[in-house]
Amino acid sequence: LRGQAPIVIGHRGSSGTRPEHTLEAYRVAIEAGADFIEPDLVVTKDGVLVARHEPVIAVVGADGKVLEATADVATREEFKDRLTTKTLDGVEVRGYFVEDFTLAELKTLRAVERLPQLRGKNYDGQFQIPTLEEVIALVKDTEAKTGRKVGIYPETKHPTYMNEVAKYNTSQLLIDTLKKTDFTDPARVFIQSFEVGNLKDLKMNVMPKAGVNIPLVQLVSSDDEPAYDLKAAGDTRTPKDMLSDEGLKEIASYASGVGPYKRWIIDAEGKTTDFVGRAHAAGLMVHTWTMRNEPTYLLPQYKNDPKAEMRQALRAGLDGFFTDFPATGAEVVRELTTPEVRSP
C-alpha cells in the first residue's frame, strides 16, 4: 500500500525456534531479520504488562494434568493455591492466571515450550517472563549496537476480560508504558487487537489524551470466531461481515490496517482471493497471520516447501505478515523484492 517492502513480524518472537514471548525469542527474531517483534500483553496483579500469549500460563485438566503451558508454574509447590477456574471470553478455563501473581512472583517462574511435541523442550526452564519495558529495552539496545530500528507490534489480549476480571485497562497501561519508555514513534509501533471497542477507545480517547498517534490494526479471525466484545454485546457481526467492503470501510474509520487470518488471503484450496485488493481500496494495510514452517500448519501443496505459501501471499500484495520463523520470512522477502524497495 505504501510502496515499501512487506514487513516481517516475528510472531511471539522467533517462536518456532525458542519458547515464545521470551527475550531470547525476540532476540533471535531480530537477528533473523524481523522488522517488528510481537509481544502479546497481559497484566500482573500489581499492574505491570508482561508478554504472554494468554492470561492463563498453564491450563490444567480436572485430573490435574497440564494440558498446555508457557511457564513452569504447575510444578511450583509454593503456588499450588493459585490454581483456579475463570471464565475467559465465555469459556471456563482451569489453570494459573498471570493477574493472580505479582511481577516479583512471576519472575521466579521460567518459560517452557507451548508446543513440546512439535518443537521440543531443549530450552525449557532457561528464560524468564519479560515485561513490556524489558522488550522495549532489548529493541533499544539492538539499535544502539547495530543501528537497526526494529519496531514492536504489541497486542492487547482479551481487553474485555482484562477490564472485568483482571481489573485493568491494558490499553491505557500500554500507552502509559510507551510514553514512559519514550517509544511512541508511529513508524516503529503498531497496536493490534481482536476486539473492536478497545481500538476505538485508543483512537478516540486514550491516545489523544496522551498526545500520541500510533497506527492501529484490527485483527480478524476465521469466520467461526467473532470478536468477543461484539458477541458479548449481542452484536451479530461475523468476521466475514467485518471483512466485507462495508466492514472494511468501518475498520478504516479507526484503524490503519487489518490483520486477517491467512485463509482470507489464500483460501482452503490454495487459491488467492481478492481480499488484499479490497482492503487496499479501503485504505487499509494488510498484515496477515500466521506463516509457519511445520507441515501440520500447511496446506498439502505447501508441505514440501513452506516458503511457497509465503511467496503466494506476498504476491497477493501483502504489506506484512506474522511468522513463527522470521528467518524464513526474511529470505522470502529478499527473494521477491528489489534492493531499491528494501532500502529505507
Side-chain angles (χ1 to χ4, degrees), residues 138-195:
L138 171 68
V139 170
K140 288 183 174 181
D141 185 59
T142 296
E143 182 180 357
K145 291 178 178 178
T146 69
R148 283 191 63 210
K149 291 182 177 293
V150 177
I152 65 168
Y153 207 126
E155 179 184 346
T156 56
K157 300 294 294 191
H158 306 285
T160 297
Y161 171 90
M162 292 298 169
N163 273 313
E164 296 178 354
V165 179
K167 307 299 183 184
Y168 283 102
N169 182 331
T170 48
S171 297
Q172 184 67 60
L173 289 177
L174 170 55
I175 297 302
D176 291 346
T177 304
L178 292 175
K179 287 205 69 175
K180 176 183 176 183
T181 56
D182 192 25
F183 204 87
T184 59
D185 181 352
R188 296 183 69 182
V189 186
F190 289 97
I191 297 174
Q192 58 178 333
S193 178
F194 280 102
E195 294 191 18

Side-chain angles (χ1 to χ4, degrees), residues 118-138:
L118 183 64
R119 295 173 175 171
K121 300 181 179 181
N122 291 345
Y123 296 98
D124 280 10
Q126 297 186 31
F127 311 119
Q128 291 185 342
I129 296 173
T131 66
L132 175 59
E133 287 193 38
E134 289 172 332
V135 176
I136 293 171
L138 171 68

Side-chain angles (χ1 to χ4, degrees), residues 172 199-210:
Q172 184 67 60
L199 289 180
K200 290 185 174 181
D201 187 45
L202 277 162
K203 180 69 173 180
M204 294 183 285
N205 300 307
V206 179
M207 291 199 297
K209 288 178 182 177

Side-chain angles (χ1 to χ4, degrees), residues 210-284:
V212 300
N213 186 21
I214 292 167
L216 307 176
V217 176
Q218 179 67 66
L219 295 172
V220 183
S221 192
S222 54
D223 204 40
D224 59 346
E225 293 186 69
Y228 178 70
D229 63 329
L230 297 185
K231 180 180 178 181
D235 189 320
T236 59
R237 275 179 291 172
T238 66
K240 186 176 182 180
D241 295 327
M242 292 180 69
L243 298 182
S244 66
D245 290 345
E246 183 179 350
L248 290 170
K249 289 179 183 178
E250 162 67 12
I251 291 173
S253 71
Y254 60 89
S256 299
V258 59
Y261 173 50
K262 64 183 179 181
R263 290 291 162 252
W264 294 108
I265 310 293
I266 301 173
D267 67 21
E269 296 180 354
K271 297 177 181 177
T272 302
T273 72
D274 65 352
F275 177 79
V276 175
R278 292 193 301 105
H280 282 174
L284 292 166

